[in-house]
Amino acid sequence: MALPQLISTHKPSLKPNTTALSSLNPNNLNSLSKLSSSLDSLLHSGRQKRRAASLKCSASSFSEKHHNTNHPKSDDVVELPLFPLPLVLFPGAILPLQIFEFRYRIMMHTLLRTDLRFGVIFSDAVSGTAEVGCVGEIIKHERLVDDRFFLICKGQERFRVTNIVRTKPYLVAEVTWLEDRPSGEEDVDALATEVETHMKDVIRLSNRLNGKPEKEAQDLRRNLFPTPFSFFVGSTFEGAPREQQALLELEDTATRLKREKETLRNTLNYLSAASAVKDAFPSS
């Protein structure tokens, strides 16, 4: 399936690189400045006003209201237009897009006359098109020259594709809704707190590596319930879309938080080792 043409202004906030974690190379230290700049966006994600071209996924996007929204029943089957993209959208995340390709401009014209909702689903040349995606709701749009569109979308419910209805002029599928199961005896609130602590430590160490003040990140969780917080954390792993897709597909909040904690812990170990190398070879 050909991928749509687009320009995404959705910038990463945190990029754990599990490949780089397995072996430390002092030459990789130069890339940490880019990581630090990305991590800094987490510290400022609560700003109310920002230019559209630099919109990011922020913790404030994952509101308590989203957690309490009445979701469709998991056994409901509906038809949904799909937009395959080389990225993963999470519930509550903000996604700015520019639409160029003709078939998706047709889709936008249809959506703007109906319910403004479409399915964002991960697709690339290696993995193909995933079966689990997330509804993107258009919350702001602008029609540009040559009938292009600039969209601001917000992630809503997750879904699983059960049947392809048609492929032209754009993909339409029957989907069922996906929700997390109860986590049983797991203390998901405590897990969320541990994940937040690891995120703060990663930010602190990254700042140190780049010669910035080691001030502690303040309240990354922002009173979020564990489930929407786990989606927020997953949305910051934009350097690894396949890992993000795996997190999106999980149907258990505790399992998702544990996997995120492990990724952050590996990232922290890597940054700690990089910091030691920098201290030992300050001129590198």
Side-chain angles (χ1 to χ4, degrees), residues 24-26 28-30 32 35 201-212 214 266-284:
L24 176 62
N25 183 343
N28 290 337
L29 287 173
N30 292 331
L32 290 173
L35 174 63
D201 289 341
V202 167
I203 293 171
R204 177 182 53 78
L205 257 183
S206 181
N207 284 340
R208 181 185 177 212
L209 280 165
N210 290 281
K212 297 181 180 181
E214 294 185 47
N266 289 339
T267 304
L268 187 59
N269 289 339
Y270 171 71
L271 293 175
S272 297
S275 180
V277 169
K278 184 177 180 180
D279 290 341
F281 305 98
S283 61
S284 298

Side-chain angles (χ1 to χ4, degrees), residues 99-100 102 105-106 109 143-149:
I99 307 300
F100 288 90
F102 179 68
R105 285 184 286 166
I106 294 175
H109 281 287
R143 189 168 175 176
L144 307 175
V145 295
D146 301 327
D147 203 31
R148 292 178 293 123
F149 288 91

Side-chain angles (χ1 to χ4, degrees), residues 77-83 107 111 115-121 133-137 157-161 163-166 170-177:
V77 178
V78 299
E79 288 189 7
L80 190 68
L82 299 184
F83 197 172
M107 185 174 80
L111 291 175
D115 65 355
L116 305 179
R117 292 158 61 89
F118 61 99
V120 175
I121 195 160
C134 180
V135 171
E137 182 175 12
E157 300 87 359
R158 292 176 298 158
F159 62 84
R160 184 183 301 278
V161 174
N163 183 47
I164 301 299
V165 176
R166 68 171 188 266
Y170 49 83
L171 192 62
V172 177
E174 290 183 344
V175 305
T176 55
W177 305 113

Side-chain angles (χ1 to χ4, degrees), residues 251-275:
E251 298 180 58
D252 180 82
T253 300
T255 302
R256 188 180 302 110
L257 287 168
K258 287 178 180 178
R259 185 161 178 164
E260 291 166 345
K261 184 175 75 170
E262 183 65 20
T263 298
L264 288 165
R265 185 159 49 197
N266 289 339
T267 304
L268 187 59
N269 289 339
Y270 171 71
L271 293 175
S272 297
S275 180

